[in-house]
Amino acid sequence: MNSIHSSRAIPKMGLLLLDEHGSRIEACIKGVAVQKFDTIMKEGDCYVISNCRLARNVDWTRLSDNKFKLNFICSTNIESILSTKLAEYRYDFVPFEEVVGRGNKNCYVIDVIGQLISVSHVIKGLSGGTETTSINIVLKDKKNHKLTCTLWDKYAEEVKSFMLNHNEEDHVIVILHLTKIHDRDISLSNYMTASRLIFNHDIPEVYSFMNIMIDAGNLTSQRLTKHLETSLDDVFSNPFGLKSIQYVKEVKEEGRFVIFGTVDRIDEEKGWFYETSVTRRDGPLCHICSGLPKVTIPRYKIELEVSDKSSSTTFVLYDDAATKFIDKTAFDSWGDDITGGQHEPIPKKIASLLNGSFLFEVHKSGINLIGNHKYSIMHLTSKEDLISKFISSNFSS
């Protein structure tokens, strides 16, 4: 039993149930029934379930390919049992070539297994006013096909924790249990909190996978570095990723998209930075409040009006991506040559963005789904060779 909770106003709890034959079916608990079952059902335990309703599963993203689901009601009965017939988890691995051919048209989450060959740095962003973290990993299967997976929040922390303690000489085999397919760029991501990320799992399937990889000569000998870094070549390497601004506006799904566009305007009236207050741990106590002193640090926030052939919109360049592109912190940019703007002076390096054409990787968050067309820039590049390579690969694919 895997569980997933919804943060909507009406409480909702989803379960994925597995029987002794390995068949899966989704169960849904809503409203007041959530409180009853959330306290008595435990993930991994076995139950006899009675008096629930069978319904067609028409949800957009489903936890299984079963056409039906179970709806729990307040009078549903469950009885905990001990069973030696059921494994705690049973995997149904989908080959990467089927993932690429499938997209998410079948709308249900899947299991994959692959060798970990690349790990990005930790990417920070904002979604609905809440700070998010993510990491991109690349997996390779036994036929040498590769897939990118974006792991969010707690899953990103799991990758980071594993990599910091990883022996560089060891190969890493990753299982992604209940992962979601994104057909826009043929990539994977965790499905809310229902997914499971497992490194070098001590099960026969992993040993069999490694043996097949070795026999085929596909087991990568390249070592993974302990620092989590990625290059722009990795970010802009997906031949399925180029989208138009109009597409990003219209698509009804959160995610990351690559756009080739031109900066038509820098919103000087909004300025190029904001200020944050940080507590100094190494300073003397404040003589007024006897607390640790606080200092104000500037951070980048640059609003750009960007257009392509399809439309125009606003991209926001926040501190992390701006620092990487400009190669200076906002604090250090105070010492740069300043050019006078119509509303507010800005550093010349920022002003040079105007009229430039770039590849942008932008994040569409939940707030963008309700009509806010300001998108956070995760990466950008003006390197002509990288732009040319990326665009040509998209038109030729």
Side-chain angles (χ1 to χ4, degrees):
M1 182 190 82
N2 285 70
S3 64
I4 178 172
H5 290 76
S6 170
S7 58
R8 297 175 181 174
I10 299 176
K12 183 179 178 181
M13 181 177 175
L15 309 175
L16 180 62
L17 306 176
L18 178 75
D19 67 14
E20 67 270 25
H21 304 294
S23 300
R24 298 175 177 180
I25 190 169
E26 187 173 348
C28 181
I29 309 172
K30 292 182 180 180
V32 295
V34 170
Q35 186 174 2
K36 171 185 174 182
F37 294 105
D38 191 27
T39 57
I40 61 176
M41 299 188 76
K42 181 180 177 182
E43 186 173 322
D45 284 357
C46 298
Y47 300 91
V48 174
I49 303 169
S50 59
N51 198 30
C52 53
R53 295 173 178 171
L54 185 68
R56 286 196 172 273
N57 195 350
V58 295
D59 293 341
W60 173 246
T61 301
R62 307 195 299 269
L63 292 177
S64 79
D65 60 348
N66 199 313
K67 296 180 180 180
F68 297 93
K69 66 178 179 179
L70 301 176
N71 286 329
F72 281 36
I73 55 179
C74 289
S75 57
T76 296
N77 297 314
I78 63 168
E79 179 185 353
S80 179
I81 61 170
L82 294 176
S83 176
T84 58
K85 296 181 180 180
L86 292 175
E88 183 177 0
Y89 297 100
R90 190 172 299 188
Y91 306 107
D92 185 14
F93 296 122
V94 177
F96 286 10
E97 58 190 332
E98 289 187 22
V99 175
V100 173
R102 175 187 296 184
N104 73 347
K105 61 185 179 182
N106 289 337
C107 305
Y108 55 87
V109 296
I110 61 171
D111 303 334
V112 296
I113 183 172
Q115 183 189 3
L116 182 64
I117 60 172
S118 177
V119 182
S120 78
H121 67 290
V122 177
I123 304 165
K124 295 186 180 296
L126 290 174
S127 178
T130 302
E131 186 174 293
T132 62
T133 58
S134 63
I135 282 179
N136 293 321
I137 65 174
V138 178
L139 302 179
K140 182 174 73 172
D141 72 359
K142 55 193 177 185
K143 291 187 177 180
N144 227 22
H145 298 110
K146 298 176 184 177
L147 278 177
T148 299
C149 180
T150 301
L151 298 169
W152 295 89
D153 299 326
K154 76 167 187 173
Y155 298 99
E157 292 300 322
E158 288 180 23
V159 175
K160 181 180 178 182
S161 176
F162 175 83
M163 290 301 299
L164 290 175
N165 297 285
H166 167 59
N167 184 341
E168 294 179 6
E169 296 183 357
D170 293 339
H171 296 103
V172 181
I173 306 302
V174 173
I175 289 176
L176 286 170
H177 179 49
L178 304 182
T179 183
K180 181 180 178 181
I181 307 173
H182 294 277
D183 64 346
R184 62 176 182 276
D185 53 6
I186 316 299
S187 65
L188 306 172
S189 73
N190 56 281
Y191 180 51
M192 301 176 71
T193 59
S195 302
R196 181 170 290 267
L197 173 66
I198 309 171
F199 301 97
N200 292 337
H201 199 5
D202 188 14
I203 58 173
E205 290 94 329
V206 170
Y207 297 116
S208 173
F209 176 86
M210 288 189 66
N211 289 334
I212 293 173
M213 293 278 282
I214 292 171
D215 292 342
N218 290 333
L219 196 63
T220 299
S221 59
Q222 178 182 359
R223 295 180 180 181
L224 286 167
T225 54
K226 286 191 176 182
H227 57 281
L228 305 179
E229 291 294 338
T230 189
S231 66
L232 289 173
D233 298 83
D234 293 329
V235 174
F236 298 113
S237 63
N238 193 326
F240 303 98
L242 187 64
K243 301 297 181 185
S244 68
I245 290 176
Q246 191 61 36
Y247 175 88
V248 174
K249 284 182 176 181
E250 293 176 354
V251 67
K252 302 299 183 184
E253 185 177 2
E254 297 183 41
R256 298 186 180 203
F257 305 87
V258 176
I259 292 169
F260 179 64
T262 301
V263 177
D264 298 323
R265 187 172 72 91
I266 301 173
D267 194 338
E268 298 168 4
E269 190 173 2
K270 297 285 182 63
W272 58 275
F273 69 93
Y274 67 99
E275 294 181 336
T276 57
S277 182
V278 179
T279 300
R280 285 192 57 182
R281 300 292 176 185
D282 58 346
L285 296 179
C286 174
H287 70 280
I288 298 176
C289 66
S290 297
L292 288 169
K294 293 188 176 183
V295 295
T296 299
I297 298 177
R299 299 190 187 278
Y300 290 113
K301 182 183 177 184
I302 309 161
E303 295 199 8
L304 309 173
E305 185 175 307
V306 178
S307 66
D308 64 6
K309 292 181 180 180
S310 69
S311 186
S312 64
T313 192
T314 300
F315 290 170
V316 184
L317 189 58
Y318 284 103
D319 194 68
D320 187 49
T323 300
K324 288 185 177 69
F325 180 77
I326 297 171
D327 202 26
K328 280 188 177 181
T329 65
F331 181 83
D332 292 334
S333 288
W334 279 98
D336 286 356
D337 291 333
I338 299 293
T339 179
Q342 181 179 356
H343 299 281
E344 191 76 27
I346 59 176
K348 286 186 177 180
K349 181 77 181 218
I350 297 174
S352 67
L353 294 169
L354 187 63
N355 298 320
S357 295
F358 304 87
L359 274 179
F360 298 92
E361 184 193 38
V362 298
H363 177 225
K364 181 167 186 173
S365 64
I367 195 171
N368 299 132
L369 296 177
I370 56 176
N372 184 321
H373 294 307
K374 289 185 178 181
Y375 305 97
S376 299
I377 298 172
M378 311 309 295
H379 297 90
L380 74 159
T381 183
S382 59
K383 294 181 178 179
E384 293 183 1
D385 57 337
L386 192 55
I387 292 174
S388 176
K389 179 181 177 182
F390 185 87
I391 292 177
S392 63
S393 67
N394 272 268
F395 280 109
S396 63
S397 60

Coordinates of all heavy atoms in Angstrom, one line a residue, residues 143-216:
K143 N 19.7 -1.1 -22.7 CA 19.9 -0.9 -24.2 C 20.5 0.4 -24.5 O 20.5 0.9 -25.7 CB 18.6 -1.1 -24.9 CG 18.0 -2.5 -24.8 CD 16.8 -2.6 -25.7 CE 16.2 -4.1 -25.7 NZ 15.0 -4.2 -26.6
N144 N 21.1 1.1 -23.5 CA 21.8 2.4 -23.7 C 20.9 3.6 -24.0 O 21.3 4.6 -24.4 CB 22.8 2.3 -24.8 CG 24.2 2.8 -24.4 OD1 24.5 2.9 -23.2 ND2 25.0 3.2 -25.3
H145 N 19.5 3.4 -23.8 CA 18.6 4.6 -23.9 C 18.7 5.4 -22.6 O 19.0 4.8 -21.5 CB 17.2 4.1 -24.1 CG 17.0 3.3 -25.3 ND1 16.7 2.0 -25.4 CD2 17.0 3.7 -26.6 CE1 16.6 1.6 -26.6 NE2 16.7 2.6 -27.4
K146 N 18.5 6.7 -22.7 CA 18.7 7.6 -21.6 C 17.4 8.4 -21.3 O 16.7 8.7 -22.3 CB 19.8 8.6 -21.8 CG 21.2 7.9 -22.0 CD 22.3 8.9 -22.3 CE 23.6 8.2 -22.5 NZ 24.7 9.2 -22.9
L147 N 17.1 8.6 -20.1 CA 15.9 9.4 -19.7 C 16.3 10.4 -18.6 O 17.1 10.0 -17.7 CB 14.8 8.5 -19.2 CG 13.9 7.9 -20.2 CD1 12.9 7.0 -19.5 CD2 13.2 8.9 -21.1
T148 N 15.8 11.6 -18.6 CA 16.0 12.6 -17.6 C 14.8 12.5 -16.6 O 13.6 12.4 -17.0 CB 16.1 14.0 -18.2 OG1 17.2 14.0 -19.1 CG2 16.3 15.0 -17.1
C149 N 15.1 12.7 -15.3 CA 14.0 12.7 -14.3 C 14.3 13.9 -13.4 O 15.4 14.1 -12.9 CB 14.1 11.4 -13.5 SG 12.8 11.3 -12.2
T150 N 13.2 14.7 -13.2 CA 13.3 15.8 -12.3 C 12.6 15.4 -10.9 O 11.5 14.9 -10.9 CB 12.5 17.0 -12.8 OG1 13.1 17.4 -14.1 CG2 12.6 18.2 -11.9
L151 N 13.4 15.5 -9.9 CA 13.0 15.0 -8.6 C 12.8 16.3 -7.7 O 13.7 17.1 -7.6 CB 14.0 14.0 -8.0 CG 14.1 12.7 -8.8 CD1 15.3 11.9 -8.2 CD2 12.8 11.9 -8.7
W152 N 11.7 16.4 -7.0 CA 11.3 17.6 -6.3 C 11.4 17.4 -4.8 O 11.1 16.3 -4.3 CB 9.9 18.0 -6.7 CG 9.8 18.5 -8.1 CD1 9.5 17.7 -9.2 CD2 10.0 19.8 -8.6 NE1 9.5 18.4 -10.3 CE2 9.8 19.7 -10.0 CE3 10.3 21.0 -8.1 CZ2 9.9 20.8 -10.9 CZ3 10.4 22.1 -8.9 CH2 10.2 22.0 -10.3
D153 N 11.8 18.5 -4.1 CA 11.8 18.6 -2.7 C 12.4 17.4 -1.9 O 13.6 17.2 -2.0 CB 10.3 18.9 -2.2 CG 9.8 20.2 -2.9 OD1 10.6 21.1 -3.0 OD2 8.6 20.3 -3.2
K154 N 11.6 16.6 -1.2 CA 12.2 15.5 -0.4 C 13.0 14.5 -1.2 O 14.0 14.0 -0.8 CB 11.1 14.8 0.4 CG 10.3 13.8 -0.3 CD 9.5 13.0 0.6 CE 8.7 11.8 -0.1 NZ 8.1 10.9 0.8
Y155 N 12.6 14.3 -2.5 CA 13.3 13.4 -3.3 C 14.6 14.0 -3.8 O 15.7 13.3 -3.9 CB 12.5 13.0 -4.6 CG 11.2 12.3 -4.2 CD1 10.0 13.0 -4.1 CD2 11.2 11.0 -3.9 CE1 8.8 12.4 -3.8 CE2 10.0 10.3 -3.5 CZ 8.8 11.1 -3.5 OH 7.6 10.4 -3.1
A156 N 14.7 15.3 -4.0 CA 15.9 16.0 -4.3 C 16.9 15.9 -3.1 O 18.1 15.7 -3.3 CB 15.6 17.5 -4.6
E157 N 16.3 16.0 -1.9 CA 17.2 15.9 -0.7 C 17.7 14.5 -0.6 O 18.9 14.3 -0.1 CB 16.4 16.3 0.5 CG 16.0 17.8 0.6 CD 17.3 18.7 0.6 OE1 18.3 18.3 1.2 OE2 17.2 19.7 -0.1
E158 N 16.9 13.5 -1.0 CA 17.4 12.1 -0.9 C 18.6 11.9 -1.9 O 19.6 11.2 -1.5 CB 16.3 11.1 -1.3 CG 15.2 11.0 -0.2 CD 14.1 10.0 -0.6 OE1 14.4 9.2 -1.5 OE2 13.0 10.1 -0.1
V159 N 18.5 12.5 -3.1 CA 19.6 12.4 -4.0 C 20.8 13.1 -3.5 O 22.0 12.5 -3.5 CB 19.2 13.0 -5.4 CG1 20.4 13.0 -6.3 CG2 18.1 12.2 -6.0
K160 N 20.7 14.3 -3.0 CA 21.8 15.0 -2.4 C 22.5 14.3 -1.3 O 23.7 14.2 -1.2 CB 21.3 16.4 -1.9 CG 22.4 17.3 -1.3 CD 21.8 18.6 -0.9 CE 22.9 19.5 -0.3 NZ 22.3 20.8 0.2
S161 N 21.7 13.7 -0.4 CA 22.2 13.0 0.8 C 23.0 11.8 0.3 O 24.1 11.5 0.8 CB 21.1 12.6 1.7 OG 21.6 11.8 2.8
F162 N 22.4 11.0 -0.7 CA 23.1 9.8 -1.2 C 24.4 10.2 -1.8 O 25.4 9.5 -1.6 CB 22.2 9.1 -2.2 CG 22.9 7.9 -2.9 CD1 22.9 6.7 -2.2 CD2 23.5 8.1 -4.1 CE1 23.5 5.6 -2.8 CE2 24.1 7.0 -4.7 CZ 24.1 5.8 -4.1
M163 N 24.4 11.3 -2.7 CA 25.6 11.6 -3.4 C 26.7 12.1 -2.5 O 27.9 11.8 -2.7 CB 25.3 12.7 -4.4 CG 24.4 12.2 -5.6 SD 25.2 10.9 -6.5 CE 26.7 11.7 -7.1
L164 N 26.4 12.7 -1.4 CA 27.4 13.2 -0.4 C 28.1 12.1 0.3 O 29.2 12.2 0.7 CB 26.8 14.2 0.6 CG 26.3 15.5 0.0 CD1 25.6 16.3 1.1 CD2 27.5 16.3 -0.5
N165 N 27.5 10.9 0.3 CA 28.1 9.8 1.0 C 28.4 8.6 0.0 O 28.7 7.5 0.5 CB 27.1 9.2 2.1 CG 26.8 10.2 3.2 OD1 27.6 10.5 4.0 ND2 25.6 10.9 3.1
H166 N 28.4 8.9 -1.2 CA 28.5 7.9 -2.3 C 30.0 7.6 -2.5 O 30.8 8.6 -2.7 CB 27.8 8.3 -3.6 CG 28.2 7.5 -4.7 ND1 28.0 6.1 -4.8 CD2 28.7 7.8 -5.9 CE1 28.4 5.7 -6.0 NE2 28.9 6.7 -6.7
N167 N 30.4 6.4 -2.6 CA 31.7 6.0 -3.0 C 31.8 6.1 -4.5 O 31.1 5.4 -5.3 CB 32.0 4.5 -2.6 CG 33.4 4.1 -3.0 OD1 34.1 4.7 -3.8 ND2 33.9 3.0 -2.3
E168 N 32.7 7.0 -5.0 CA 32.8 7.3 -6.4 C 33.1 6.1 -7.3 O 32.8 6.1 -8.5 CB 33.8 8.4 -6.7 CG 33.4 9.7 -6.1 CD 34.5 10.8 -6.3 OE1 35.4 10.5 -7.0 OE2 34.4 11.9 -5.7
E169 N 33.7 5.1 -6.7 CA 34.1 3.9 -7.6 C 32.9 2.9 -7.7 O 33.0 2.0 -8.5 CB 35.2 3.2 -6.9 CG 36.5 4.0 -6.8 CD 37.7 3.3 -6.2 OE1 37.5 2.1 -5.8 OE2 38.8 3.8 -6.2
D170 N 31.8 3.1 -7.0 CA 30.7 2.2 -7.1 C 29.7 2.7 -8.2 O 29.4 3.9 -8.4 CB 29.9 2.1 -5.8 CG 30.7 1.5 -4.7 OD1 31.7 0.7 -5.1 OD2 30.5 1.7 -3.5
H171 N 29.2 1.7 -9.0 CA 28.1 2.0 -9.9 C 26.8 2.2 -9.1 O 26.6 1.6 -8.0 CB 27.9 0.9 -10.9 CG 29.1 0.7 -11.8 ND1 30.0 -0.3 -11.6 CD2 29.5 1.4 -12.8 CE1 30.9 -0.3 -12.6 NE2 30.7 0.8 -13.3
V172 N 25.9 3.0 -9.6 CA 24.6 3.3 -8.9 C 23.5 2.9 -9.8 O 23.3 3.4 -10.9 CB 24.5 4.8 -8.5 CG1 23.2 5.1 -7.8 CG2 25.7 5.3 -7.7
I173 N 22.7 2.0 -9.3 CA 21.5 1.5 -10.0 C 20.3 2.1 -9.2 O 20.2 1.9 -8.0 CB 21.4 0.0 -10.1 CG1 22.6 -0.6 -10.7 CG2 20.1 -0.4 -10.9 CD1 23.0 -0.1 -12.1
V174 N 19.4 2.8 -10.0 CA 18.3 3.5 -9.4 C 17.0 2.9 -9.8 O 16.8 2.6 -10.9 CB 18.3 5.0 -9.8 CG1 17.1 5.7 -9.3 CG2 19.6 5.7 -9.3
I175 N 16.1 2.7 -8.8 CA 14.7 2.3 -9.1 C 13.8 3.5 -8.8 O 13.9 4.1 -7.7 CB 14.3 1.1 -8.2 CG1 15.0 -0.2 -8.7 CG2 12.8 0.9 -8.3 CD1 14.7 -1.4 -7.8
L176 N 13.0 3.9 -9.7 CA 12.0 4.9 -9.5 C 10.6 4.2 -9.5 O 10.2 3.7 -10.6 CB 12.0 6.0 -10.6 CG 13.2 7.0 -10.5 CD1 13.3 7.8 -11.8 CD2 13.0 7.8 -9.3
H177 N 10.0 4.1 -8.4 CA 8.8 3.3 -8.2 C 7.6 4.4 -8.2 O 7.7 5.3 -7.5 CB 8.8 2.6 -6.9 CG 7.6 1.8 -6.5 ND1 7.0 1.0 -7.4 CD2 6.9 1.8 -5.4 CE1 5.9 0.4 -6.8 NE2 5.8 0.9 -5.6
L178 N 6.7 4.2 -9.1 CA 5.6 5.1 -9.3 C 6.0 6.5 -9.7 O 5.8 7.5 -9.0 CB 4.7 5.2 -8.0 CG 4.2 3.9 -7.4 CD1 3.4 4.1 -6.2 CD2 3.4 3.1 -8.5
T179 N 6.7 6.5 -10.9 CA 7.1 7.8 -11.4 C 6.2 8.2 -12.6 O 5.6 7.4 -13.2 CB 8.6 7.7 -11.9 OG1 9.0 8.9 -12.4 CG2 8.7 6.7 -13.1
K180 N 6.1 9.5 -12.8 CA 5.2 10.1 -13.7 C 5.9 10.5 -15.0 O 7.0 11.0 -15.0 CB 4.5 11.3 -13.1 CG 3.5 12.0 -14.0 CD 2.9 13.3 -13.3 CE 1.9 14.0 -14.2 NZ 1.4 15.2 -13.6
I181 N 5.3 10.2 -16.2 CA 5.8 10.6 -17.5 C 5.3 11.9 -17.9 O 4.1 12.2 -17.8 CB 5.4 9.5 -18.5 CG1 5.8 8.1 -18.1 CG2 6.1 9.8 -19.9 CD1 5.2 7.0 -19.1
H182 N 6.2 12.8 -18.4 CA 5.8 14.0 -19.0 C 6.1 13.9 -20.5 O 7.2 13.8 -21.0 CB 6.7 15.2 -18.5 CG 6.4 15.4 -17.0 ND1 5.4 16.2 -16.6 CD2 7.0 15.0 -15.9 CE1 5.4 16.2 -15.2 NE2 6.4 15.5 -14.8
D183 N 5.0 14.0 -21.3 CA 5.1 13.8 -22.8 C 5.7 15.0 -23.5 O 6.1 14.9 -24.6 CB 3.8 13.3 -23.4 CG 2.7 14.4 -23.3 OD1 2.9 15.4 -22.5 OD2 1.7 14.2 -24.0
R184 N 5.7 16.1 -22.8 CA 6.1 17.3 -23.6 C 7.6 17.2 -23.9 O 8.1 17.7 -24.9 CB 5.9 18.6 -22.7 CG 6.7 18.6 -21.4 CD 6.5 19.9 -20.6 NE 7.3 19.8 -19.4 CZ 7.0 19.2 -18.3 NH1 5.8 18.7 -18.2 NH2 7.8 19.2 -17.2
D185 N 8.4 16.6 -23.1 CA 9.9 16.5 -23.4 C 10.4 15.1 -23.1 O 11.6 14.8 -23.0 CB 10.7 17.5 -22.5 CG 10.4 17.4 -21.0 OD1 9.6 16.5 -20.6 OD2 10.9 18.2 -20.3
I186 N 9.4 14.1 -22.9 CA 9.8 12.7 -22.7 C 10.7 12.6 -21.5 O 11.9 12.2 -21.6 CB 10.4 12.0 -23.9 CG1 9.6 12.4 -25.2 CG2 10.3 10.5 -23.7 CD1 8.1 12.0 -25.1
S187 N 10.2 13.0 -20.3 CA 11.0 12.9 -19.1 C 10.2 12.4 -18.0 O 8.9 12.2 -18.2 CB 11.6 14.3 -18.7 OG 10.5 15.2 -18.4
L188 N 10.8 12.2 -16.9 CA 10.1 11.6 -15.7 C 10.1 12.6 -14.5 O 10.9 13.5 -14.5 CB 10.7 10.3 -15.3 CG 10.8 9.2 -16.4 CD1 11.6 8.0 -15.8 CD2 9.5 8.7 -16.8
S189 N 9.2 12.4 -13.6 CA 9.3 13.1 -12.3 C 8.6 12.3 -11.2 O 7.8 11.4 -11.6 CB 8.7 14.5 -12.4 OG 7.2 14.4 -12.5
N190 N 8.9 12.6 -10.0 CA 8.1 12.0 -8.9 C 6.7 12.4 -9.0 O 6.3 13.5 -9.4 CB 8.7 12.3 -7.5 CG 8.8 13.8 -7.3 OD1 9.7 14.5 -7.8 ND2 7.8 14.3 -6.5
Y191 N 5.8 11.5 -8.6 CA 4.3 11.8 -8.6 C 3.9 12.2 -7.2 O 3.7 11.4 -6.3 CB 3.5 10.7 -9.1 CG 2.0 10.9 -9.1 CD1 1.5 12.1 -9.7 CD2 1.1 10.1 -8.5 CE1 0.2 12.3 -9.8 CE2 -0.2 10.3 -8.5 CZ -0.7 11.5 -9.1 OH -2.1 11.7 -9.1
M192 N 3.9 13.6 -7.0 CA 3.6 14.1 -5.6 C 4.5 13.4 -4.6 O 5.7 13.3 -4.7 CB 2.1 14.0 -5.4 CG 1.3 14.8 -6.4 SD -0.5 14.7 -6.2 CE -0.7 15.7 -4.8
T193 N 3.9 12.8 -3.6 CA 4.6 12.1 -2.6 C 4.5 10.6 -2.6 O 4.9 9.8 -1.7 CB 4.3 12.6 -1.2 OG1 2.9 12.3 -0.9 CG2 4.5 14.0 -1.0
A194 N 3.9 10.1 -3.7 CA 3.6 8.6 -3.8 C 4.8 7.9 -4.4 O 4.9 6.6 -4.2 CB 2.4 8.4 -4.7
S195 N 5.7 8.5 -5.0 CA 6.8 7.8 -5.6 C 7.8 7.3 -4.6 O 7.8 7.8 -3.4 CB 7.6 8.8 -6.6 OG 6.7 9.2 -7.6
R196 N 8.7 6.4 -5.0 CA 9.7 5.9 -4.1 C 11.0 5.8 -4.9 O 11.1 5.4 -6.1 CB 9.3 4.5 -3.6 CG 10.4 3.9 -2.7 CD 9.8 2.6 -2.1 NE 8.8 2.9 -1.1 CZ 9.0 3.1 0.2 NH1 10.2 3.0 0.7 NH2 8.0 3.3 1.0
L197 N 12.1 6.4 -4.3 CA 13.4 6.5 -4.9 C 14.3 5.5 -4.2 O 14.5 5.7 -3.0 CB 13.9 7.9 -4.9 CG 15.3 8.2 -5.3 CD1 15.5 7.9 -6.8 CD2 15.7 9.6 -5.0
I198 N 14.9 4.6 -4.9 CA 15.8 3.6 -4.2 C 17.1 3.4 -4.9 O 17.1 3.2 -6.1 CB 15.0 2.2 -4.1 CG1 13.6 2.3 -3.6 CG2 15.8 1.2 -3.3 CD1 12.8 1.1 -3.7
F199 N 18.2 3.5 -4.2 CA 19.5 3.4 -4.7 C 20.1 2.0 -4.4 O 20.1 1.5 -3.2 CB 20.5 4.4 -4.2 CG 20.0 5.8 -4.4 CD1 19.3 6.5 -3.5 CD2 20.3 6.5 -5.6 CE1 18.9 7.8 -3.7 CE2 19.9 7.8 -5.9 CZ 19.2 8.5 -4.9
N200 N 20.6 1.3 -5.4 CA 21.3 0.0 -5.2 C 20.5 -0.9 -4.3 O 21.0 -1.5 -3.3 CB 22.7 0.3 -4.7 CG 23.6 0.9 -5.7 OD1 23.4 0.9 -6.9 ND2 24.7 1.6 -5.2
H201 N 19.3 -1.1 -4.7 CA 18.4 -2.0 -3.9 C 18.9 -3.4 -3.9 O 19.3 -4.0 -5.0 CB 17.0 -1.9 -4.5 CG 15.9 -2.4 -3.6 ND1 16.1 -2.7 -2.3 CD2 14.5 -2.5 -3.8 CE1 14.9 -3.0 -1.7 NE2 14.0 -2.9 -2.6
D202 N 18.9 -4.1 -2.8 CA 19.4 -5.5 -2.7 C 18.3 -6.5 -3.0 O 17.8 -7.2 -2.1 CB 19.9 -5.7 -1.2 CG 20.7 -7.0 -1.1 OD1 21.0 -7.6 -2.1 OD2 20.9 -7.5 0.0
I203 N 18.0 -6.5 -4.3 CA 17.0 -7.4 -4.8 C 17.4 -8.1 -6.1 O 18.3 -7.5 -6.8 CB 15.6 -6.7 -5.1 CG1 15.8 -5.6 -6.1 CG2 15.0 -6.2 -3.7 CD1 14.5 -4.9 -6.5
P204 N 16.9 -9.3 -6.5 CA 17.4 -10.0 -7.7 C 17.3 -9.1 -8.9 O 18.1 -9.2 -9.8 CB 16.5 -11.2 -7.7 CG 16.0 -11.4 -6.3 CD 15.9 -10.0 -5.7
E205 N 16.3 -8.3 -9.0 CA 16.1 -7.5 -10.3 C 17.3 -6.6 -10.5 O 17.6 -6.3 -11.7 CB 14.8 -6.7 -10.2 CG 13.5 -7.5 -10.2 CD 13.0 -7.8 -8.9 OE1 13.8 -8.0 -7.9 OE2 11.8 -8.0 -8.7
V206 N 17.8 -6.0 -9.5 CA 19.0 -5.1 -9.6 C 20.2 -5.9 -10.1 O 20.9 -5.4 -11.0 CB 19.3 -4.4 -8.3 CG1 20.6 -3.6 -8.4 CG2 18.1 -3.4 -8.0
Y207 N 20.5 -7.0 -9.5 CA 21.6 -7.9 -9.9 C 21.5 -8.3 -11.3 O 22.4 -8.4 -12.1 CB 21.8 -9.0 -8.9 CG 22.1 -8.6 -7.5 CD1 21.2 -8.9 -6.5 CD2 23.3 -7.9 -7.2 CE1 21.5 -8.5 -5.2 CE2 23.6 -7.5 -6.0 CZ 22.7 -7.8 -4.9 OH 23.0 -7.4 -3.7
S208 N 20.3 -8.7 -11.7 CA 20.0 -9.1 -13.1 C 20.2 -8.0 -14.0 O 20.8 -8.2 -15.1 CB 18.5 -9.6 -13.2 OG 18.2 -9.9 -14.5
F209 N 19.8 -6.8 -13.7 CA 20.0 -5.6 -14.5 C 21.5 -5.3 -14.7 O 21.9 -5.1 -15.9 CB 19.3 -4.4 -13.9 CG 19.5 -3.1 -14.6 CD1 18.7 -2.7 -15.6 CD2 20.5 -2.2 -14.2 CE1 18.9 -1.5 -16.3 CE2 20.7 -1.1 -14.9 CZ 19.9 -0.7 -16.0
M210 N 22.2 -5.4 -13.6 CA 23.7 -5.1 -13.8 C 24.4 -6.2 -14.6 O 25.2 -5.8 -15.4 CB 24.3 -5.1 -12.4 CG 23.9 -3.8 -11.6 SD 24.9 -3.7 -10.0 CE 26.5 -3.4 -10.7
N211 N 24.0 -7.4 -14.5 CA 24.6 -8.5 -15.3 C 24.3 -8.3 -16.8 O 25.2 -8.5 -17.6 CB 24.1 -9.9 -14.8 CG 24.6 -10.3 -13.5 OD1 25.7 -9.8 -13.0 ND2 23.9 -11.1 -12.7
I212 N 23.1 -7.9 -17.1 CA 22.8 -7.7 -18.5 C 23.6 -6.5 -19.0 O 24.1 -6.5 -20.2 CB 21.3 -7.4 -18.6 CG1 20.5 -8.7 -18.3 CG2 20.9 -6.9 -20.1 CD1 19.0 -8.5 -18.3
M213 N 23.7 -5.4 -18.2 CA 24.5 -4.2 -18.6 C 25.9 -4.6 -18.9 O 26.6 -4.2 -19.8 CB 24.4 -3.2 -17.5 CG 23.0 -2.6 -17.4 SD 22.7 -1.3 -18.6 CE 23.6 0.1 -17.9
I214 N 26.5 -5.4 -18.0 CA 27.9 -5.9 -18.1 C 28.1 -6.7 -19.4 O 29.0 -6.5 -20.2 CB 28.3 -6.6 -16.9 CG1 28.4 -5.7 -15.6 CG2 29.7 -7.3 -17.1 CD1 28.6 -6.4 -14.3
D215 N 27.2 -7.7 -19.6 CA 27.3 -8.5 -20.8 C 27.2 -7.7 -22.1 O 27.8 -8.1 -23.1 CB 26.2 -9.6 -20.7 CG 26.4 -10.6 -19.6 OD1 27.5 -10.7 -19.1 OD2 25.4 -11.3 -19.2
A216 N 26.4 -6.7 -22.0 CA 26.2 -5.9 -23.2 C 27.2 -4.8 -23.4 O 27.3 -4.1 -24.4 CB 24.8 -5.2 -23.2

